[in-house]
């Protein structure tokens, strides 16, 4: 395949810059489109229309999802559009994927894989601060349900407040979290991080009336799988933790705490250094950003485990600078989005080769 | 006023027994009618229709509200109907009241009082196990709102989980509860009870997504006012407890915990012994039940504080045997309901006097 000429690459870079106002407008529209779990259809339709149109479009852009992960998703699209706007077609096949459930199961990408799509290299535009992810960890979601005994508050001690059992069990789960951090000390990729294993109680709901002791408490947890355990062994330890708490702690026992998986059940992925795919990204990053690409390990979940673990495709996770991910003040750096978009566009061109068209 | 004759009283008692199947059916209907806060209109309409019709229509009856307080409410109505069915009219004025918000503010009864209704004696048919309430305590409802810092769970320590501040503050509030129980030791009515001051966390809600640190936690509390404090002083101590927790506990401080009143703000009431109103109830109870009426003190809230404290009307709280109040297995003893209904009917007749009609 013919490599792009220096002029062609300049044309691509110019096209990224020219298309950038459109890109920002479209990103605004996408950020304003709901994309919560089970309500992702509108965002997916918007992406589908824009993919179809793809003859398509400050310092920080704010909005929930602006960084994680609508900024990167739109960058993929506009990288391809820049290629086309430069009058070029990739010689190889380029897949753009817009998938649901990346934040809770990974099933969207698994489904694409099951439909037979594969590739020689994958670039995932997660907002990783323009650094490359060398390794990420597995994640498990689980729910805990507690049963109390409802009663009038005037005879509070006759009832059993399900919240008490939840508190007691959370203390036990925090002990497991601490143990998991201890066994991660010395790990090749995560051993030097202060607290790589986070156990996050993200939802807790109990009761409906101040004057009643409540008979029900529900909470949802996201926890990171230690690198020395697979998700299956980690899950067994969670179940064991709950079982031991029920045996040893009368309060947990009285609450009949039960635990169930409710989303993520994923293993870690390590990008082996030295691949051709990584080499090209390093080269382009150096060209465009004028410095060396850094790599790091993150306890986040990333869909690269699907391509990397199940298809053995080198999976590069590299994307723009963003802050306050999942926060209401989430924001993405637009200069960084522009720089990443250029890199993605050039990556397509150099990896696939190009022809005029 | 002419006292009812022995024959007339027997006719009333017979009429209660005859009307009792209707009474149970109507109680079933009322139990099946929603009567939650802000959704009490249907139950009120049903009572209004039945009051209007009042020329109207097992061992335990189960259902949320069966005991507290639909059983007693219906007993009042059927007591009056028994009087009428016996061919009698009270010589004095009888008020039957069906009010909203008894479980959360007391404003329903306050509103009736503000509309000018008064009486020489009040009988409240709360499910008190066929005993008389000598004293009850004041109650305060309050809400606590905590602000956290939302973040992706992967950088959990950058965020601040509002639940942590809620836990820390609840520990402080439990210390206040303990203090309030300590200062209640030796009280005339409550000094011998093991734990009269209950602080019940009845609702707790936080977060919406397992993979986010949540930025918001809300919980609602019902707490009993110690007899040596009025509600105003108790409230000041609650505010002070929260303020001190914010000053002394960095976790509470970081959560910007705020507290606000959200319902009950009521004082206690003591029924002074020896009133004519109490004497009549004792006499009737002894006649019908064949034993002495017992009196006791309860940390429950009861609307008797409205009549007793603001109108100086002796307020008798006396009603049927019920169990699991506010629980899903709540139940009322129907023999007890029948006995109480007889007592209420005879009370109307003897207190007011009767004439044929």
């Amino acid at each position: 395949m013919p490599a792009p000429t220096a002029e062609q690459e300049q044309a691509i870079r110019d096209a990224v810059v020219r298309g950038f106002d459109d890109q920002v407008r479209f990103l605004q529209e996408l950020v304003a489109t709901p994309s919560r779990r089970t309500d992702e259809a509108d965002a997916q339709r918007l992406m589908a229309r824009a993919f179809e149109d793809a003859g398509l479009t400050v310092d920080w852009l704010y909005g929930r999802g602006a960084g994680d992960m609508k900024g990167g998703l739109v960058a993929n699209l506009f990288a391809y559009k820049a290629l086309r706007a430069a009058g070029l077609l990739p010689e190889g096949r380029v897949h753009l994927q817009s998938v649901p459930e990346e934040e809770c199961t990974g099933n969207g990408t698994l489904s694409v894989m099951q439909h037979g799509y594969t590739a020689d290299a994958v670039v995932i535009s997660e907002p990783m601060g323009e650094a490359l992810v060398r390794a990420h960890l597995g994640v498990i979601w689980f729910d805990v349900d507690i049963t109390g005994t409802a009663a009038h508050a005037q005879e509070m001690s006759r009832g059993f407040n399900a919240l008490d059992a939840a508190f007691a069990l959370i203390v036990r789960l925090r002990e497991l979290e601490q143990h998991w951090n201890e066994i991660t000390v010395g790990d090749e990729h995560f051993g030097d991080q202060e607290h790589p294993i986070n156990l996050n109680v993200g939802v807790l709901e109990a009761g409906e009336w101040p004057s009643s002791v409540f008979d029900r408490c529900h909470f949802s947890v996201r926890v990171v799988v230690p690198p020395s355990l697979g998700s299956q062994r980690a899950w067994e330890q969670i179940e064991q933790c709950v079982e031991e708490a029920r045996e040893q702690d009368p309060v947990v026992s009285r609450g009949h705490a039960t635990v169930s998986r409710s989303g993520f059940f994923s293993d870690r992925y390590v990008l082996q250094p030295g691949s051709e795919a990584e080499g090209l990204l390093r080269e382009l990053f150096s060209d465009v950003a004028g410095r060396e690409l850094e790599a790091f390990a993150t306890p986040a979940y990333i869909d690269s485990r699907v391509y990397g673990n199940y298809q053995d495709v080198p999976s590069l996770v590299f994307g723009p600078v963003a802050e306050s991910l999942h926060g209401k003040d989430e924001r993405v750096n637009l200069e960084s989005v522009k720089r990443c978009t250029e890199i993605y566009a050039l990556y397509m061109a150099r990896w696939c080769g190009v022809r005029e068209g």
Side-chain angles (χ1 to χ4, degrees), chain A:
Chain A
M1 301 177 213
T5 64
E7 289 74 24
Q8 286 175 323
E9 294 209 346
Q10 191 53 49
I12 289 170
R13 296 171 77 151
D14 291 349
V16 165
V17 172
R18 278 199 310 277
F20 198 64
D21 282 351
D22 273 354
Q23 179 170 355
V24 171
R25 265 191 295 277
F26 182 68
L27 177 54
Q28 285 173 322
E29 186 185 356
L30 185 60
V31 168
T33 302
S35 58
R36 293 183 301 184
R37 189 179 191 181
T38 75
D39 190 23
E40 300 185 74
D42 283 347
Q44 291 295 336
R45 265 192 289 271
L46 184 62
M47 286 308 300
R49 259 200 317 275
F51 282 159
E52 221 173 78
D53 290 349
L56 291 195
T57 337
V58 198
D59 56 357
W60 295 89
L61 189 144
Y62 285 78
R64 182 66 186 88
D68 183 14
M69 141 93 189
K70 291 175 175 175
L73 181 64
V74 172
N76 296 342
L77 175 60
F78 279 77
Y80 181 75
K81 289 162 70 73
L83 210 71
R84 298 291 291 118
L88 299 170
L89 275 170
E91 284 282 10
R93 196 168 59 191
V94 171
H95 300 161
L96 298 186
Q97 297 184 358
S98 172
V99 299
E101 300 244 328
E102 190 273 343
E103 290 288 351
C104 48
T105 62
N107 287 345
T109 296
L110 275 163
S111 170
V112 169
M113 188 193 84
Q114 287 181 317
H115 280 77
Y117 292 90
T118 187
D120 298 318
V122 168
V123 178
I124 297 183
S125 49
E126 289 273 3
M128 290 302 175
E130 300 188 25
L132 178 66
V133 174
R134 174 65 61 215
H136 71 76
L137 290 176
V139 169
I140 294 175
W141 269 23
F142 63 91
D143 286 353
V144 175
D145 287 284
I146 312 262
T147 305
T149 305
H152 193 298
Q154 81 183 71
E155 41 184 10
M156 194 170 75
S157 58
R158 202 192 62 74
F160 174 67
N161 193 327
L163 192 57
D164 291 338
F167 283 12
L169 186 57
I170 288 170
V171 169
R172 295 291 191 129
L173 291 167
R174 288 256 166 261
E175 288 169 7
L176 181 65
E177 178 192 29
Q178 190 185 339
H179 169 64
W180 282 1
N181 276 295
E182 282 163 11
I183 63 174
T184 304
V185 173
D187 176 79
E188 182 186 356
H189 298 107
F190 294 90
D192 60 344
Q193 296 192 8
E194 198 181 343
H195 195 278
I197 311 298
N198 285 330
L199 183 140
N200 186 65
V201 180
V203 183
L204 193 149
E205 286 170 350
E208 55 183 23
W209 184 250
S211 291
S212 295
V213 176
F214 40 70
D215 64 354
R216 193 195 65 76
C217 177
H218 173 93
F219 65 90
S220 299
V221 176
R222 181 248 197 209
V223 68
V224 169
V225 176
S228 60
L229 301 177
S231 49
Q232 182 56 40
R233 278 176 63 203
W235 174 241
E236 286 162 10
Q237 292 190 9
I238 291 165
E239 287 188 309
Q240 192 185 340
C241 173
V242 175
E243 199 178 312
E244 284 176 7
R246 286 182 59 163
E247 282 167 10
Q248 295 162 13
D249 186 325
V251 172
V252 179
S253 171
R254 193 169 172 197
H256 307 289
T258 60
V259 65
S260 57
R261 281 162 40 187
S262 56
F264 277 131
F265 190 71
S266 70
D267 288 324
R268 68 178 177 146
Y269 170 65
V270 177
L271 172 71
Q272 296 305 329
S275 66
E276 192 183 346
E278 180 176 338
L280 177 55
L281 183 65
R282 291 190 166 280
E283 186 181 312
L284 280 168
F285 183 79
S286 169
D287 284 0
V288 174
R291 57 189 168 89
E292 285 301 298
L293 181 64
E294 288 180 10
F296 73 110
T298 173
Y301 167 84
I302 305 167
D303 271 348
S304 51
R305 62 112 187 177
V306 175
Y307 310 107
N309 292 351
Y310 306 144
Q311 297 191 318
D312 206 20
V313 176
S315 298
L316 310 172
V317 179
F318 167 85
V321 173
E323 293 180 355
S324 290
L325 310 183
H326 292 209
K328 63 189 166 204
D329 56 343
E330 181 170 340
R331 65 180 192 167
V332 66
N333 183 288
L334 289 177
E335 278 304 311
S336 177
V337 171
K338 194 189 290 182
R339 199 156 40 239
C340 289
T341 307
E342 274 192 53
I343 292 170
Y344 302 148
L346 294 169
Y347 199 100
M348 287 181 208
R350 287 202 197 163
W351 185 264
C352 299
V354 291
R355 58 184 168 89
E356 307 280 335

